[in-house]
Amino acid sequence: MSLKNEPRVNTSALQKIAADMSNLIENLDTRELHFEGEEVDFDVSPSDPKTREVSIPFSAVYNTQGFKEPNIRSYLSGCPIKVKVLEVERITSTTKVPSSDLYTIELTHGEFKWQVKRKFKHFEEFHRELLKYKAFIRIPIPTRRHTFRRQNVKGEEPRAMPSLPRSSENRIREENFLGKRKQLEDYLTKLLKMPMYRNYHATTEFLDISQLSFIRDLGPKGIEGMIMKRSGGHRIPGLNCCGQGRACYRWSRRWLIVKDSFLLYMKPDSGAIAFVLLVDKEFKIKVGKKETETKYGLRIDNLSRTLILKCNSYRQARWWGGAIEEFIQKHGSDFLKDHRFGSYAAIQENTLAKWYVNAKGYFEDVANAMEEAEEEIFITDWWLSPEIFLKRPVVEGNRWRLDCILKRKAQQGVRIFIMLYKEVGLALGINSEYSKRTLMRLHPNIKVMRHPDHVSSTVYLWAHHEKLVVIDQSIAFVGGIDLAYGRWDDNEHRLTDVGSVKHVITGPSLLSLTAETTESIESLHLKDESESNKNLPILKSVDNMDSKMKGIGKPRKFSKFSLYRQLHRYHLQSMDSISSTDSTSNTGSVRSLQTGVGELQGETRFWHGKDYCNFVFKDWVQLDKPFADFINRYSTPRMPWHDIASVVHGKAARDVARHFIQRWNFTKIMKPKYRSLSYPFLLPKSQTTAHELKYQVPESICAKVQNQFFISCADDKVVFNRIGDAIAQRILKAHRESQRYRVYVVIPLLPGFEGDISTGGGNALQAIMHFNYRTMCRGENSIVGQLKAEIGNQWINYISFCGLRTHAELEGNLVTELIYVHSKLLIADDNTVIIGSANINDRSMLGKRDSEIAVIVQDTETVPSVMDGEEYQAGQFAQGLRLQCFRVVLGYLSDLNEDIQDPVSDKFFKEVWVSTAARNATIYDKVFRCLPNDEVHNLIQLRDFISKPILAKEDPVRAEEELKKIRGFLVQFPFYFLSEESLRPSVGTKEAMVPMEVWT
């Protein structure tokens, strides 16, 4: 008979029958059910390979499932659960309901210990649920979940199901309580040895256990249980119902979990974490209808939300409230109060910390730490460029390119969360949308948020300015360095990057590839390495190219990384960077500090494409073409970048991670597009495991852990922060007490805005210049103005204002450029350091404009030193950072014999610091006629100044001789540049139309 004539099975009908049977069985009243025979159980053997990993990994928080799913992992493998009934409490009622007994049960599972309170009726309900399950599991219903459970039961050895004591509790005498407690202990102990029942969702719910109960990094096990949660309560405009009264509320059944520093609730049907409430200084618990507008209500407040829960009785609400409060007070009290300087984070003793001067070492340590990540990477930046290289020169292909590192770690299972500032497109060209799109397409484990949405949030003027990288919530990089173009630099602060190949105007270079070639390079990281090797761009006509480029060696093929293969061939792959010089001519930099690195080969670069920049000359454009130059590196020097950062470990890193988590979770609920499950809520790890460091940044030392613009000196009208006033008052105090006191201020010679300074600089640049000068030296509110009013010109003995500048030779021409000082750093008395993202201006300092973060480090390890000519115990961290900064800017890196240890002495302050800055400034003015310049007081003088001949062009030989006298980078800040001009934005310009707070 043909198979075609066989009657077809109606699978949909079978599924409907199966569903009906499931509903029927689940609704059976099984109080009278009793099954003969043995029940199944087995004891897990320690040799079982499934039990070798006892702990549940932290990554399990990202893989939660519905509570009734059969393959949930809630318990520690191979670890028994010990049960002890501690006490019995007789509950009486004023109603006709008979008195009942409340049992306090203590459970221990590995290192976790917790208590639950249950009435005997709860035991009866639980037992009936298990009997129902027992009946249900024996029926072969063709559903996936049911089949899975039946298959798991088949392999178990039979054992009798324990019996529940049946005595009527209101007739039990006092002397029988002890026996009853023992019976209940035995009942639960036997039951929990049977995987069939232990893993059943009714059992875990009865014992207040969930998938997140026994994850060590989440801290001790707190209170858990099913509750009813009311919607709303957010302290964020637009997230709550606009109406009032009960009709606007929605109640939902949720599983509440209390941990040492936060609460969360989950959806039982999907297991999704639906909200996280962090413990903070406003954390409070209230009970009662008056406080909650709900019968048997429980109210939990923090800075961001009022959460209303509904319990079954007033007694239960009081118990929940008391238990939560007691647990948080015991384990999370540090988060309930403000700490020193109003910080949310407590002082953390004996914290491993390390500082960075410039981004070279910082980027390398960030790359190495990312490579060691096992669970999570958090990144937040004002600007992030996916294609930057974290290790340079590039000798390992794309391996250490940021997007490739992140993709590699995501493929290994690491969850990566990135928050970017969403700029106002008309005002800034950082193209965060491109950064987000590029990163998101790499791998599903990479999630990127941008914030704020300017229209919906009505935030137009302020920015997210923080720069953080956090690895596994155990290592946190904090400072002023974005993972972005232009930031990478080392102690040489090079102006040029043209490689060792001669440049001929008529000849194409490797970096002037066609758009198609460039785009193919950009997409390399999206393909497997084996596949990408086949598609490397090949530039043909080697003979033609060789006639236009004279480098070291003549490779047969010019592909993107063929020059790096040459470095491997000559064993230079492990070497660091040096100044690029031509081996056959003198077209290299005049300044070439040898740092132990071989010469760059061919057109090997430190700064590729958009990374070679001079943002005062020209702001970034076409960021979606990362490897295409946007300024001519053969005629325009780059602008070097001087910056500071730090890394902390352990508890301090946990605190930094907590801040990131707070911002991430806030953004998730704030923006509708991020409320989906694909953007998970983040959970802070507990401080109890913070000491367990799997990786440590090399050269970190122990310390106690808790600037770019200079706009201060409050007038309470335009400027409000008082940092400048504090500096002035401290100097006046020192003068009155005849005390030596020094303040070293180093800031950029020009603000970081595009503008031609030879014509005045443009409105944005001038606006920042106005407020910088107003803070330093112009007007009675300025620091110098306040000092002059009391001590005259003696102020020069107390404070110094400087910038940084360098020079080089580019294509046979001497060039100079300022070094952009982006540091946000304070070092006090060689024992206290503040490193962060905050500038000294109102945007950063008022606390309600730009978002910022910083760490304060106080040394616990000291070294013998000298301060004001006397013996002094200096902090190892603080003094080491101060000495490195001084050596870099003074040019003492290769001359360690110079005495720069005592920053207060007259000899250092006057004969070294002030003298070096003045001499360097004089030489630069003589050779280049630099701007800004003290000779130029107005625009008429400016036009005359730039029309005069420049020694560097008129007599290069003599100019080069003069430049040999330069030491370091330090130059005096020009106080009188355009002092006779009003630098505020002119009326009618777009800069004048925005509020003045934008510039302050």
Side-chain angles (χ1 to χ4, degrees):
M1 182 182 292
S2 172
L3 291 175
K4 294 181 180 179
N5 297 327
E6 290 282 341
R8 292 188 177 182
V9 178
N10 191 331
T11 55
S12 61
L14 282 178
Q15 290 173 351
K16 185 175 180 181
I17 293 170
D20 290 342
M21 290 177 67
S22 297
N23 292 333
L24 180 65
I25 295 296
E26 287 181 358
N27 291 304
L28 277 176
D29 185 355
T30 56
R31 280 175 287 189
E32 305 301 325
L33 282 181
H34 180 71
F35 291 89
E36 299 294 334
E38 301 292 319
E39 197 53 38
V40 292
D41 180 36
F42 67 91
D43 289 321
V44 180
S45 169
S47 61
D48 189 333
K50 295 181 180 179
T51 68
R52 289 175 187 170
E53 184 188 356
V54 175
S55 62
I56 301 175
F58 180 79
S59 56
V61 303
Y62 299 114
N63 298 298
T64 54
Q65 303 177 62
F67 286 17
K68 293 186 178 181
E69 291 296 319
N71 57 342
I72 290 177
R73 181 182 179 187
S74 298
Y75 302 97
L76 304 176
S77 301
C79 188
I81 301 176
K82 300 176 182 178
V83 181
K84 185 176 182 180
V85 180
L86 297 180
E87 60 183 13
V88 184
E89 177 186 356
R90 175 56 59 92
I91 299 176
T92 57
S93 175
T94 56
T95 63
K96 296 181 181 180
V97 178
S99 300
S100 59
D101 294 330
L102 183 66
Y103 296 87
T104 301
I105 308 162
E106 182 182 83
L107 298 111
T108 305
H109 187 42
E111 63 184 284
F112 299 92
K113 183 177 290 187
W114 73 103
Q115 294 180 0
V116 298
K117 291 182 179 289
R118 296 290 182 265
K119 296 179 182 179
F120 188 73
K121 72 171 186 178
H122 297 142
F123 277 92
E124 292 179 315
E125 293 168 356
F126 172 51
H127 190 67
R128 285 198 296 270
E129 180 68 26
L130 293 183
L131 288 174
K132 183 194 300 185
Y133 175 55
K134 179 180 179 179
F136 178 58
I137 205 69
R138 294 190 173 195
I139 301 173
I141 301 173
T143 63
R144 182 185 61 83
R145 181 187 299 171
H146 191 75
T147 303
F148 184 90
R149 283 186 177 140
R150 283 177 55 81
Q151 289 174 345
N152 283 351
V153 167
K154 285 180 181 178
E156 300 177 3
E157 297 178 3
R159 181 180 298 178
M161 181 178 176
S163 300
L164 183 70
R166 293 184 178 276
S167 304
S168 178
E169 60 181 319
N170 59 338
R171 297 179 183 175
I172 296 178
R173 297 182 179 180
E174 193 72 29
E175 57 267 21
N176 292 332
F177 279 162
L178 186 60
K180 183 73 169 290
R181 286 162 54 184
K182 186 69 171 75
Q183 288 177 324
L184 292 176
E185 278 183 17
D186 292 343
Y187 170 76
L188 288 176
T189 299
K190 292 177 181 177
L191 203 65
L192 291 172
K193 288 182 179 180
M194 301 179 179
M196 171 180 171
Y197 299 119
R198 182 179 64 229
N199 298 326
Y200 188 47
H201 67 84
T203 306
T204 55
E205 186 173 333
F206 182 80
L207 300 177
D208 289 353
I209 292 172
S210 71
Q211 301 160 67
L212 306 182
S213 296
F214 306 122
I215 298 175
R216 286 192 72 244
D217 277 331
L218 291 181
K221 186 185 182 315
I223 304 93
E224 300 186 35
M226 202 69 74
I227 48 89
M228 295 298 292
K229 180 271 308 179
R230 194 174 79 181
S231 62
H234 297 280
R235 304 190 198 282
I236 305 170
L239 288 186
N240 301 312
C241 180
C242 58
Q244 298 292 330
R246 296 181 182 178
C248 292
Y249 298 138
R250 185 179 70 254
W251 291 93
S252 305
R253 189 167 176 265
R254 298 288 183 262
W255 183 265
L256 183 69
I257 299 176
V258 180
K259 289 295 183 181
D260 55 3
S261 68
F262 68 94
L263 290 72
L264 66 86
Y265 55 76
M266 304 171 70
K267 295 180 178 180
D269 55 344
S270 65
I273 297 172
F275 188 75
V276 177
L277 186 145
L278 298 183
V279 173
D280 56 37
K281 64 181 181 180
E282 293 298 320
F283 184 84
K284 293 181 180 64
I285 296 178
K286 298 177 182 178
V287 178
K289 187 171 183 179
K290 181 179 178 182
E291 301 288 349
T292 64
E293 301 176 348
T294 302
K295 189 177 181 181
Y296 311 144
L298 174 68
R299 172 174 166 176
I300 305 174
D301 289 286
N302 79 343
L303 284 167
S304 62
R305 188 176 183 184
T306 294
L307 181 62
I308 303 294
L309 309 178
K310 183 163 60 177
C311 302
N312 294 326
S313 66
Y314 180 67
R315 178 185 293 273
Q316 187 188 35
R318 286 187 59 189
W319 181 84
W320 266 96
I324 294 173
E325 193 154 20
E326 180 184 355
F327 186 80
I328 296 297
Q329 286 286 352
K330 181 178 179 181
H331 299 286
S333 59
D334 275 348
F335 298 103
L336 293 172
K337 55 193 175 186
D338 269 339
H339 297 276
R340 188 177 55 162
F341 310 125
S343 173
Y344 71 96
I347 296 173
Q348 306 295 357
E349 304 280 354
N350 300 317
T351 297
L352 286 172
K354 179 181 179 180
W355 47 258
Y356 301 91
V357 179
N358 298 317
K360 176 182 180 295
Y362 176 77
F363 276 11
E364 287 179 2
D365 278 357
V366 166
N368 291 333
M370 285 182 176
E371 197 65 24
E372 297 295 326
E374 296 181 357
E375 296 159 344
E376 297 170 322
I377 296 174
F378 300 160
I379 302 173
T380 183
D381 274 330
W382 178 80
W383 183 23
L384 184 146
S385 307
E387 296 86 5
I388 62 164
F389 291 93
L390 298 187
K391 293 189 180 184
R392 309 184 193 191
V394 181
V395 294
E396 296 182 70
N398 282 336
R399 177 170 177 78
W400 298 111
R401 209 172 85 183
L402 177 59
D403 53 354
C404 297
I405 297 173
L406 296 179
K407 181 184 180 185
R408 181 164 66 247
K409 298 310 295 182
Q411 289 172 335
Q412 295 170 11
V414 175
R415 302 286 183 135
I416 298 167
F417 303 97
I418 301 171
M419 282 192 293
L420 301 177
Y421 166 54
K422 184 177 181 181
E423 75 283 6
V424 178
L426 295 177
L428 281 172
I430 58 178
N431 202 344
S432 62
E433 194 276 333
Y434 166 77
S435 298
K436 177 182 177 180
R437 186 175 68 248
T438 301
L439 293 167
M440 288 283 285
R441 71 184 184 186
L442 295 177
H443 195 275
N445 279 350
I446 299 176
K447 302 298 180 186
V448 184
M449 288 183 178
R450 295 194 302 155
H451 186 266
D453 279 343
H454 306 285
V455 176
S456 61
S457 66
T458 67
V459 175
Y460 294 95
L461 305 180
W462 318 128
H464 287 304
H465 196 241
E466 300 165 358
K467 300 96 167 54
L468 299 177
V469 179
V470 184
I471 309 297
D472 291 339
Q473 299 192 39
S474 297
I475 302 170
F477 294 86
V478 183
I481 307 177
D482 289 297
L483 301 178
Y485 293 136
R487 271 59 175 175
W488 189 95
D489 217 325
D490 59 13
N491 295 333
E492 292 193 41
H493 291 313
R494 299 171 186 81
L495 290 184
T496 65
D497 187 32
V498 295
S500 64
V501 179
K502 286 185 178 179
H503 174 63
V504 180
I505 295 177
T506 57
S509 70
L510 281 179
L511 287 184
S512 58
L513 299 172
T514 63
E516 292 78 8
T517 306
T518 303
E519 289 177 9
S520 69
I521 292 174
E522 292 173 36
S523 64
L524 283 179
H525 67 280
L526 298 176
K527 304 175 183 178
D528 293 334
E529 186 174 350
S530 60
E531 183 181 340
S532 64
N533 286 339
K534 300 175 184 177
N535 297 321
L536 282 173
I538 304 299
L539 299 186
K540 300 180 180 179
S541 187
V542 177
D543 294 336
N544 183 47
M545 180 164 293
D546 187 49
S547 67
K548 298 169 184 173
M549 303 174 63
K550 296 182 179 178
I552 297 177
K554 296 182 180 180
R556 279 178 257 174
K557 295 182 179 180
F558 286 85
S559 63
K560 186 186 177 194
F561 293 113
S562 63
L563 296 167
Y564 310 138
R565 297 193 193 104
Q566 296 296 316
L567 284 178
H568 280 280
R569 178 181 300 174
Y570 295 111
H571 307 291
L572 297 174
Q573 65 270 22
S574 62
M575 297 182 176
D576 203 352
S577 53
I578 65 161
S579 294
S580 303
T581 57
D582 193 320
S583 59
T584 60
S585 67
N586 296 321
T587 58
S589 171
V590 173
R591 182 195 313 280
S592 181
L593 303 177
Q594 294 300 319
T595 53
V597 192
E599 183 175 307
L600 295 187
Q601 307 294 300
E603 288 214 4
T604 303
R605 299 278 186 260
F606 291 110
W607 296 274
H608 293 263
K610 297 297 187 296
D611 212 9
Y612 185 92
C613 58
N614 187 322
F615 43 88
V616 173
F617 174 78
K618 183 179 181 180
D619 210 347
W620 281 274
V621 294
Q622 293 184 315
L623 291 173
D624 55 339
K625 297 180 179 179
F627 298 106
D629 285 3
F630 73 108
I631 61 176
N632 188 342
R633 65 177 69 219
Y634 296 99
S635 61
T636 304
R638 65 177 291 270
M639 182 170 287
W641 191 277
H642 186 80
D643 220 331
I644 303 290
S646 66
V647 63
V648 295
H649 299 68
K651 290 185 176 181
R654 289 277 203 270
D655 290 334
V656 176
R658 184 182 185 85
H659 171 73
F660 179 95
I661 289 167
Q662 185 179 39
R663 274 191 55 195
W664 177 274
N665 291 347
F666 169 85
T667 306
K668 174 176 169 57
I669 63 174
M670 179 73 179
K671 296 184 66 171
K673 68 163 66 174
Y674 299 138
R675 293 176 196 164
S676 69
L677 294 180
S678 63
Y679 284 84
F681 279 102
L682 303 184
L683 306 182
K685 289 185 178 180
S686 172
Q687 295 284 18
T688 58
T689 60
H691 62 284
E692 300 172 5
L693 296 176
K694 298 176 183 177
Y695 176 74
Q696 176 183 324
V697 174
E699 302 174 15
S700 299
I701 62 174
C702 270
K704 185 188 334 182
V705 177
Q706 193 150 331
N707 258 300
Q708 164 186 8
F709 295 95
F710 194 51
I711 298 173
S712 187
C713 297
D715 58 7
D716 294 330
K717 295 177 182 178
V718 179
V719 178
F720 296 89
N721 82 83
R722 299 184 179 275
I723 294 173
D725 302 286
I727 292 172
Q729 293 306 310
R730 181 61 183 87
I731 290 173
L732 292 175
K733 179 176 182 289
H735 180 77
R736 295 185 198 109
E737 298 174 357
S738 300
Q739 176 192 30
R740 281 196 183 91
Y741 184 79
R742 315 292 189 193
V743 180
Y744 299 85
V745 180
V746 180
I747 61 174
L749 291 170
L750 288 174
F753 290 86
E754 180 180 342
D756 184 358
I757 192 62
S758 65
T759 61
N763 291 310
L765 190 145
Q766 285 188 3
I768 300 298
M769 286 171 59
H770 165 79
F771 287 105
N772 282 344
Y773 279 124
R774 178 201 167 279
T775 301
M776 290 185 288
C777 58
R778 297 182 187 174
E780 60 183 17
N781 289 323
S782 68
I783 293 174
V784 173
Q786 293 182 51
L787 295 177
K788 276 186 174 181
E790 187 163 332
I791 64 176
N793 287 331
Q794 293 185 61
W795 68 268
I796 63 174
N797 295 318
Y798 295 95
I799 188 168
S800 163
F801 296 92
C802 293
L804 303 180
R805 180 175 286 280
T806 189
H807 62 277
E809 188 173 316
L810 179 60
E811 292 296 293
N813 299 313
L814 290 173
V815 292
T816 185
E817 185 56 90
L818 65 89
I819 298 171
Y820 192 69
V821 180
H822 192 255
S823 314
K824 298 91 168 61
L825 168 70
L826 181 145
I827 305 174
D829 294 342
D830 274 1
N831 62 27
T832 302
V833 177
I834 299 176
I835 298 173
S837 64
N839 297 305
I840 297 179
N841 60 12
D842 280 359
R843 292 184 67 109
S844 294
M845 291 297 163
L846 295 190
K848 56 184 180 181
R849 296 184 179 179
D850 290 357
S851 64
E852 308 283 6
I853 192 167
V855 295
I856 178 167
V857 182
Q858 289 187 302
D859 276 288
T860 54
E861 297 180 3
T862 61
V863 293
S865 185
V866 179
M867 190 74 73
D868 196 15
E870 298 180 2
E871 292 184 359
Y872 182 78
Q873 289 297 310
Q876 184 178 349
F877 183 96
Q879 189 194 54
L881 174 55
R882 199 261 303 167
L883 290 176
Q884 179 68 4
C885 289
F886 278 17
R887 288 192 182 108
V888 168
V889 301
L890 291 170
Y892 289 168
L893 281 173
S894 58
D895 187 359
L896 302 182
N897 296 323
E898 290 288 346
D899 185 10
I900 61 174
Q901 193 172 39
D902 186 349
V904 178
S905 69
D906 281 343
K907 181 179 180 182
F908 174 77
F909 182 71
K910 296 179 179 179
E911 298 178 21
V912 178
W913 185 270
V914 173
S915 176
T916 300
R919 182 177 64 252
N920 288 348
T922 300
I923 295 171
Y924 277 127
D925 289 346
K926 181 178 181 180
V927 173
F928 295 105
R929 299 185 64 79
C930 299
L931 292 175
N933 194 293
D934 274 336
E935 293 183 25
V936 178
H937 299 173
N938 54 55
L939 293 177
I940 295 175
Q941 293 178 356
L942 176 60
R943 286 192 290 271
D944 181 61
F945 183 85
I946 63 175
S947 66
K948 293 181 179 179
I950 298 174
L951 182 63
K953 294 182 179 179
E954 298 291 317
D955 191 347
V957 175
R958 183 181 163 203
E960 193 166 326
E961 287 300 314
E962 290 289 338
L963 291 173
K964 289 179 181 179
K965 302 173 188 176
I966 293 286
R967 177 134 200 190
F969 306 112
L970 198 69
V971 293
Q972 278 184 335
F973 198 94
F975 272 6
Y976 304 105
F977 180 63
L978 297 181
S979 57
E980 298 175 5
E981 298 286 342
S982 173
L983 299 179
R984 289 196 178 205
S986 303
V987 176
T989 63
K990 64 179 182 180
E991 287 81 6
M993 295 178 185
V994 300
M996 196 60 66
E997 303 99 280
V998 170
W999 312 111
T1000 63

